[in-house]
Amino acid sequence: MSRPSEDALIARYFAPLATEPGADGLNDDAAVLPADKGELVVTKDMLVAGVHFLAGDAPDLVAKKALRVNLSDLAAKGARPAGFLLGLGLPPDWTEAFLADFTRGLGEDIATFDCPMFGGDTVKMPGPLTLSVTAFGRAERTVRRGGAWPGDVIVASGTIGDGALGLFARLAELGLGTAPAWLSQLGAEHRAALARRYLLPEPRTRLAAAVSAHASAAMDISDGLAGDLAKLLKASGAGGEVAADAVPLSEAARAALALSPDLIRTILTGGDDYEIVATIPRVALEKFEAEAKAAGVPVTVIGKVTPGQGLAVLDAAGTPLDLGSGRFEHF
Amino acid sequence: MSRPSEDALIARYFAPLATEPGADGLNDDAAVLPADKGELVVTKDMLVAGVHFLAGDAPDLVAKKALRVNLSDLAAKGARPAGFLLGLGLPPDWTEAFLADFTRGLGEDIATFDCPMFGGDTVKMPGPLTLSVTAFGRAERTVRRGGAWPGDVIVASGTIGDGALGLFARLAELGLGTAPAWLSQLGAEHRAALARRYLLPEPRTRLAAAVSAHASAAMDISDGLAGDLAKLLKASGAGGEVAADAVPLSEAARAALALSPDLIRTILTGGDDYEIVATIPRVALEKFEAEAKAAGVPVTVIGKVTPGQGLAVLDAAGTPLDLGSGRFEHF
């Protein structure tokens, strides 16, 4: 199999993506980030084939997911994208077709999110395809996990649980494992919608300015709403109550939940939402909602911050749900 | 085997390393880099077990190497360290003892190079131990590869070839492969010195200010002096001549070369030097040398930039050496 050298590979596939002056056409060992207003926010998420995405996933979607999970972190901190570096560990069987699709997808998202590539590193990986993205953002005011205050309302963007349900749908698409009964009964459109949400997160970049301006605390939901919100509350030294009925669900998730009410636990504790959970002081809620609406991002009040500690997710009768450990553990 | 959860692992081993306010005790998904004078330079190098270091290497040295190869890139651009993010892919058989040693080494180098840790990501890796470091630096003036001009002198820091020779010495220490004849004849101290240079690069951080102030072009030598210098010259649209006799060698490399004169090719084209090659306008040479001396970093004039293109490495008779392809290819 004839494949390009490292230099040729960079020149052919990556240099066209790195158009900022500070990237110097990827002809250097380092890049210069342009100066700009706001705090410089940095984040890094690694993705490994077989762990964070499936080996059968399309290369362009894998590239987009690797960038988007980082942009989701930035948005939750109130930061707009400023650029990224890509570390790429290529397994022995990589092909040019893979790289062509991968970089095409990456280029599409560079344009979509106005997030230029500044450089990176490509290495041989005697193991699974591995992506390590470091993303940079700028925030007028960086929002932390630790600023929630009793009385603040808790809001969530978009819809919750689609990623976790979508993993089941995606595994079924690939013919892996045994599909649960609810999935087999779900309409094809709903199944496809859920699988798509698992494959391709929608980082809430357009919500970043409103988060920066109004949130007392925020984080992106990557490891499940219940667990991630519990972390935020713990960092804030506060407690919280969420009404399970108030948690925003997609039509597909609503249909799945109707088929199998126990899925509420998967929805509330599953991973891969990439929505934002934020706490907003009551006096700022109206402005936050108006700015979110203007940005085209749905936001829903799901609960409130309380004194004390711990998160209670209450059912329609006001009884706390038992959610088990409440978060996805990476180890 | 009982091992800590991801949260416990971060709290126990990594949070103590992240003492900057912007790191927020690693309790968040992103960090805020402090504002400072100078351009913000960013670089990213991935290291994979079995590719960039050996499985038998001590964890503390692996951690240091991963940070140091990035600091070497920064120094060559004229940038002082400002901080880093660590991506860590842990293979299934990781142990707490490994992490304890790894983070101890990392902590030592954080102090040595005054380079704080701002965050990162730890993931499961169904493959070899993988490290992805993104390092940040500040430069009054960032030095690129493309600024060399005919008439500039070419300088190299430290000594060249020890890393490439050291890989042989290190493989012999581990009982891997067949030791070449010259290695068997070399004294034990020289063998140990070479192996050490392979294991633990010395980034030329203290030379960064002089590079920033005086170099017309610079890069760090990671893939061999001849090939890396050829890249610098090509980016500058210039040619160059280097006198092989002028290339600075350690005592150990000198002894090895005396045993096997052909090693000059390994010395000039082998990887893992992590020295700096720079071009200096003649009028600035005296100042550059004085500042390098004050910084305690040896620098040696090895040649000059010429009109035209290509790099010629000349032997004592002035005849160009045939160095083959002249650089280490990653693929």
Side-chain angles (χ1 to χ4, degrees):
Chain A
M1 179 166 44
S2 164
R3 297 190 299 195
S5 69
E6 183 184 19
D7 290 345
L9 177 160
I10 291 169
R12 195 175 306 166
Y13 293 107
F14 289 106
L17 302 180
T19 54
E20 287 281 305
D24 204 17
L26 304 187
N27 283 314
D28 214 317
D29 304 300
V32 177
L33 282 196
D36 202 349
K37 278 183 288 189
E39 296 181 316
L40 184 72
V41 183
V42 295
T43 187
K44 183 186 195 67
D45 269 353
M46 282 178 89
L47 287 85
V48 179
V51 182
H52 305 93
F53 56 93
L54 303 174
D57 293 349
D60 57 327
L61 297 185
V62 171
K64 289 180 177 184
K65 184 168 188 173
L67 182 57
R68 289 177 179 210
V69 299
N70 282 279
L71 297 185
S72 178
D73 280 326
L74 292 179
K77 303 292 102 185
R80 61 187 181 277
F84 72 98
L85 303 175
L86 171 68
L88 181 61
L90 286 173
D93 61 350
W94 71 274
T95 63
E96 277 212 71
F98 165 83
L99 262 192
D101 286 350
F102 182 90
T103 50
R104 176 177 51 74
L106 200 56
E108 287 169 7
D109 265 10
I110 287 172
T112 299
F113 296 100
D114 192 16
C115 185
M117 175 159 147
F118 280 93
D121 193 20
T122 306
V123 299
K124 281 197 292 196
M125 168 60 72
L129 176 67
T130 300
L131 310 172
S132 175
V133 169
T134 301
F136 309 100
R138 295 277 180 182
E140 301 317 311
R141 164 182 165 267
T142 305
V143 178
R144 292 303 203 175
R145 291 184 183 174
W149 199 252
D152 292 353
V153 296
I154 300 170
V155 300
S157 67
T159 58
I160 302 298
D162 301 308
L165 299 179
L167 175 55
F168 289 102
R170 180 63 186 145
L171 289 170
E173 280 183 358
L174 294 171
L176 298 171
T178 309
W182 62 265
L183 188 66
S184 313
Q185 296 161 40
L186 203 62
E189 266 181 52
H190 286 336
R191 287 204 303 269
L194 293 174
R196 179 88 186 165
R197 271 294 296 270
Y198 168 78
L199 277 172
L200 193 63
E202 284 293 338
R204 296 303 187 175
T205 299
R206 284 171 301 166
L207 196 61
V211 168
S212 177
H214 303 297
S216 53
M219 66 187 291
D220 83 322
I221 310 170
S222 52
D223 296 339
L225 171 64
D228 282 340
L229 178 54
K231 281 189 160 185
L232 182 151
L233 293 167
K234 188 178 176 191
S236 298
E241 280 178 15
V242 162
D245 283 357
V247 172
L249 302 182
S250 67
E251 274 188 46
R254 223 171 261 290
L257 189 60
L259 290 164
S260 175
D262 269 357
L263 283 178
I264 190 66
R265 287 175 178 77
T266 304
I267 288 168
L268 294 174
T269 67
D272 285 310
D273 286 309
Y274 300 106
E275 297 289 355
I276 293 176
V277 62
T279 60
I280 313 284
R282 279 182 194 279
V283 292
L285 182 61
E286 201 174 323
K287 276 193 180 176
F288 175 79
E289 289 178 326
E291 290 175 29
K293 190 171 183 184
V297 180
V299 294
T300 307
V301 173
I302 61 171
K304 63 182 178 191
V305 182
T306 61
Q309 59 184 20
L311 169 66
V313 181
L314 307 175
D315 67 14
T319 309
L321 289 172
D322 176 9
L323 296 174
S325 79
R327 70 178 293 269
F328 174 73
E329 280 286 344
H330 292 280
F331 293 99
Chain B
M1 179 165 44
S2 165
R3 297 189 299 195
S5 70
E6 183 183 20
D7 290 345
L9 179 160
I10 291 170
R12 195 174 308 165
Y13 294 107
F14 289 107
L17 302 180
T19 54
E20 287 282 304
D24 204 18
L26 303 186
N27 283 314
D28 212 317
D29 303 301
V32 177
L33 283 196
D36 201 350
K37 276 184 288 188
E39 295 182 318
L40 184 72
V41 182
V42 295
T43 188
K44 183 187 195 65
D45 269 353
M46 283 179 87
L47 286 84
V48 180
V51 181
H52 304 93
F53 57 92
L54 304 174
D57 293 349
D60 56 329
L61 297 184
V62 170
K64 289 180 177 184
K65 184 168 189 173
L67 182 57
R68 288 177 178 211
V69 299
N70 282 279
L71 298 185
S72 177
D73 279 327
L74 292 180
K77 304 292 102 185
R80 62 188 182 276
F84 72 99
L85 303 174
L86 171 69
L88 181 62
L90 285 174
D93 61 352
W94 71 274
T95 63
E96 277 212 73
F98 165 83
L99 263 192
D101 286 349
F102 182 90
T103 50
R104 177 177 49 76
L106 200 57
E108 287 169 6
D109 265 10
I110 287 171
T112 299
F113 295 100
D114 192 16
C115 185
M117 177 158 144
F118 280 93
D121 193 20
T122 305
V123 299
K124 279 197 293 195
M125 167 61 71
L129 175 67
T130 300
L131 311 172
S132 175
V133 170
T134 300
F136 309 100
R138 295 278 181 182
E140 301 317 312
R141 164 183 166 267
T142 305
V143 178
R144 290 306 203 171
R145 291 184 184 174
W149 199 255
D152 291 353
V153 296
I154 301 171
V155 300
S157 68
T159 58
I160 302 298
D162 300 309
L165 300 179
L167 176 54
F168 288 102
R170 180 63 185 145
L171 289 170
E173 279 182 357
L174 294 171
L176 298 171
T178 309
W182 61 265
L183 188 66
S184 312
Q185 296 160 41
L186 202 63
E189 267 181 50
H190 286 335
R191 287 204 304 268
L194 292 174
R196 179 85 185 167
R197 270 295 294 269
Y198 169 77
L199 277 171
L200 194 63
E202 283 294 338
R204 295 303 187 175
T205 299
R206 284 170 303 165
L207 196 61
V211 168
S212 177
H214 302 298
S216 53
M219 66 187 291
D220 82 322
I221 310 171
S222 52
D223 295 341
L225 171 64
D228 283 341
L229 178 55
K231 280 188 161 186
L232 181 153
L233 293 168
K234 188 179 176 191
S236 297
E241 280 179 14
V242 162
D245 283 357
V247 172
L249 301 183
S250 68
E251 273 187 47
R254 224 172 259 291
L257 188 61
L259 289 165
S260 175
D262 270 358
L263 283 178
I264 189 65
R265 287 176 179 77
T266 304
I267 288 168
L268 294 174
T269 66
D272 285 309
D273 286 309
Y274 299 106
E275 297 289 355
I276 293 176
V277 61
T279 59
I280 313 284
R282 278 183 195 280
V283 294
L285 182 61
E286 201 175 322
K287 276 193 180 174
F288 176 78
E289 288 178 326
E291 290 175 28
K293 190 171 182 183
V297 180
V299 295
T300 307
V301 174
I302 60 171
K304 64 183 178 191
V305 183
T306 61
Q309 57 184 20
L311 169 66
V313 181
L314 307 176
D315 66 15
T319 310
L321 289 172
D322 177 9
L323 297 174
S325 81
R327 71 177 292 269
F328 174 74
E329 280 286 344
H330 292 280
F331 290 99

